[in-house]
Amino acid sequence: MKLKPYYPHNPIASIEALATTLGIHPKLLQDLANKADDSYTDFVLPPKNNKKGRNVCEPKHELKKLQKRINSRIFEYVEYPDYLQGGIKDEEKPRDYVANATRHANANQIICIDIKQFYPNIKAQYVAKVFQYFFNFPPDVSEWLTKLVTYHGRVPQGGCTSSYIANLIFYDTEYHLVSELRKHNIQYSRLLDDITLSTQDSFTKEQETFWIKEIAAMFKKYKLKINGKKTRNEHRANPNVSFAVTGLWIGHKKPKARKEERRFIRQLVFKCEQEYKQSQFSDEYHKRWNEASGKVAKLQRLEHIQAKKFRERLSLILPEYNENMQKQLILETKKLISLPAPQNQRVGNIKRVNMLINKLGILARNNKSLAKSLRLQLNTVYANKPTMKEIWE
């Protein structure tokens, strides 16, 4: 596996070729590029786990569709080195927080570094360099693509293309750092803005200082900084530290959920069992069960021995819909099947159909005949509905 990202195709040599690649008329492409700053909706995600709310910039429909095409027709053709672990589509070797932690499992010492305000601090000038010098696209193609993937001159948190840009922003420097680290038997990985170094031995004080300075120097070239408040330097022998990488304890050969988290999940499953006796129909119970199911899915992904038993217990207390909710599903079905074409093929309505189909699966638990009837009515109108991927492509 190469240490440097690699684009194994000829560069897109002109605006006309770019328009053809993205399946759009050059004039419309230009219009979208020029009005990109007006094509986002800003909102703040609510605080989570005692963290501040996060500003998100979501592209509107036309720009979102084009960004998804930039992903599928340009970024997804890049061969990414294995130390890049986040936001990359890789069917052969899935990359996520578990795969990232696995790279450091059974380490003796770790250094975890966070990039301060990563996305909004990546400026358009560095994005343009990715297109011009990594992909070798000419200046005009690079300029238009940069406009399409940045927002007011920066990479938007919430843009469809942002994670790929984050993975490529250090394309000409990161591989040098990784090469040097490997010479010292130090494992390196980056999951977007989270960098981890680990060793099976122990870092000396001099090594700790040196490598943190090297990483800070790499950031500085792009006007980025280390988030000092989130830097962690932990040894597995210290019982007072989390010794975790991307939220997973790595003290054994495989990453694990911490004891405290496993205890919490056990209590959550038990709480669901108690609440089920009172009301398996309430919105609160649906939310509680879904939370427990998601936590158990994490244990299954990590191959924890308790996961199978927890899943069996949850399967016996599935949430159901009461008569009021069943009436709402009937009403929602009537609204969707009465929509005229082509309105019924709009992305928002296709999302509503997909959500309703999921709810009908829940309804079938205690009213199979009604669920079957509503599903047949939907299929009459939406039998040939496009998938979400087809809509965006």
Side-chain angles (χ1 to χ4, degrees):
M1 173 64 76
K2 297 181 178 68
L3 288 182
K4 188 176 183 181
Y6 175 62
Y7 182 62
H9 297 280
N10 293 327
I12 297 171
S14 66
I15 295 296
E16 290 72 22
L18 175 63
T20 299
T21 299
L22 298 179
I24 186 172
H25 191 279
K27 180 64 170 65
L28 181 55
L29 180 63
Q30 183 180 31
D31 288 345
L32 285 172
N34 288 335
K35 68 176 185 179
D37 284 348
D38 299 320
S39 300
Y40 287 87
T41 300
D42 296 352
F43 59 94
V44 179
L45 288 178
K48 190 176 181 181
N49 298 329
N50 297 321
K51 295 180 180 179
K52 293 182 180 179
R54 191 156 52 98
N55 294 318
V56 174
C57 312
E58 183 177 8
K60 296 177 182 177
H61 179 79
E62 283 188 317
L63 182 59
K64 180 182 284 190
K65 188 167 187 173
L66 198 55
Q67 287 186 353
K68 285 181 177 286
R69 289 185 181 180
I70 292 170
N71 283 347
S72 63
R73 303 181 187 188
I74 298 176
F75 285 134
E76 289 177 14
Y77 283 96
V78 174
E79 296 176 6
Y80 296 90
D82 60 3
Y83 57 81
L84 295 175
Q85 286 291 315
I88 297 170
K89 186 177 180 180
D90 190 338
E91 294 179 358
E92 292 183 7
K93 292 183 178 180
R95 308 187 191 209
D96 62 4
Y97 72 105
V98 177
N100 183 59
T102 300
R103 294 178 62 83
H104 304 280
N106 216 27
N108 206 42
Q109 188 173 358
I110 57 174
I111 298 174
C112 299
I113 295 169
D114 181 83
I115 305 173
K116 189 173 184 179
Q117 291 288 307
F118 188 30
Y119 288 107
N121 281 328
I122 301 176
K123 296 180 181 178
Q125 68 189 83
Y126 300 111
V127 177
K129 287 183 178 180
V130 171
F131 288 121
Q132 191 166 352
Y133 299 113
F134 173 72
F135 287 101
N136 290 319
F137 296 166
D140 55 349
V141 172
S142 299
E143 180 185 356
W144 281 31
L145 281 168
T146 299
K147 287 181 178 181
L148 290 166
V149 302
T150 57
Y151 179 43
H152 293 305
R154 298 173 184 272
V155 173
Q157 180 101 39
C160 306
T161 49
S162 296
S163 62
Y164 280 106
I165 294 167
N167 278 303
L168 291 172
I169 198 67
F170 304 127
Y171 77 92
D172 59 345
T173 52
E174 193 168 28
Y175 74 101
H176 288 300
L177 174 66
V178 176
S179 179
E180 288 301 310
L181 286 164
R182 289 189 177 181
K183 290 177 184 177
H184 294 82
N185 295 317
I186 298 171
Q187 183 70 255
Y188 173 98
S189 72
R190 178 163 67 88
L191 197 152
L192 302 175
D193 59 350
D194 289 319
I195 288 175
T196 305
L197 309 183
S198 69
T199 177
Q200 297 293 321
D201 300 314
S202 294
F203 294 110
T204 64
K205 284 292 182 183
E206 290 76 15
Q207 285 178 318
E208 293 169 11
T209 302
F210 176 80
W211 292 118
I212 290 174
K213 283 185 176 180
E214 287 292 293
I215 291 170
M218 180 177 74
F219 294 171
K220 190 175 181 180
K221 291 178 182 178
Y222 305 88
K223 304 295 189 293
L224 298 168
K225 296 179 180 179
I226 287 177
N227 187 343
K229 293 180 180 178
K230 292 187 177 181
T231 299
R232 292 186 291 118
N233 185 346
E234 298 179 350
H235 199 286
R236 68 183 299 159
N238 186 347
N240 299 317
V241 298
S242 64
F243 204 62
V245 172
T246 46
L248 299 174
W249 183 69
I250 57 164
H252 287 162
K253 291 182 179 180
K254 290 183 179 181
K256 299 286 184 182
R258 291 186 284 263
K259 286 183 180 179
E260 295 79 9
E261 184 175 9
R262 299 201 301 273
R263 188 180 300 117
F264 171 76
I265 295 171
R266 184 172 66 248
Q267 292 171 344
L268 195 58
V269 172
F270 176 76
K271 196 166 187 176
C272 284
E273 290 171 329
Q274 298 303 304
E275 290 185 10
Y276 178 80
K277 298 173 184 178
Q278 304 300 320
S279 177
Q280 69 268 43
F281 303 119
S282 69
D283 288 341
E284 291 75 17
Y285 181 70
H286 278 256
K287 291 176 183 177
R288 183 91 65 192
W289 189 93
N290 288 334
E291 180 187 3
S293 182
K295 298 287 187 183
V296 170
K298 178 179 178 179
L299 294 186
Q300 290 175 308
R301 172 78 169 83
L302 294 168
E303 299 179 347
H304 275 284
I305 193 170
Q306 308 102 313
K308 184 179 179 181
K309 189 65 177 178
F310 288 156
R311 180 58 65 193
E312 290 173 351
R313 289 167 62 181
L314 286 176
S315 69
L316 298 175
I317 53 170
L318 295 170
E320 299 172 1
Y321 288 139
N322 59 17
E323 290 185 5
N324 286 335
M325 187 61 188
Q326 291 178 32
K327 290 177 182 178
Q328 291 180 32
L329 295 180
I330 293 170
L331 183 61
E332 178 69 0
T333 302
K334 287 181 178 178
K335 287 180 179 178
L336 286 170
I337 63 176
S338 65
L339 289 173
Q343 187 178 343
N344 61 6
Q345 297 298 298
R346 291 176 182 171
V347 61
N349 290 323
I350 295 300
K351 284 182 178 179
R352 286 171 62 193
V353 171
N354 290 337
M355 289 175 64
L356 181 56
I357 289 172
N358 289 334
K359 290 178 180 179
L360 293 181
I362 297 174
L363 175 62
R365 293 169 185 167
N366 62 324
N367 196 333
K368 289 184 179 180
S369 60
L370 178 58
K372 183 178 180 180
S373 172
L374 297 179
R375 194 176 284 113
L376 285 172
Q377 292 177 56
L378 279 176
N379 286 339
T380 301
V381 177
Y382 294 95
N384 298 315
K385 70 178 176 66
T387 64
M388 293 307 295
K389 183 177 180 181
E390 289 170 340
I391 287 175
W392 292 120
E393 276 294 299

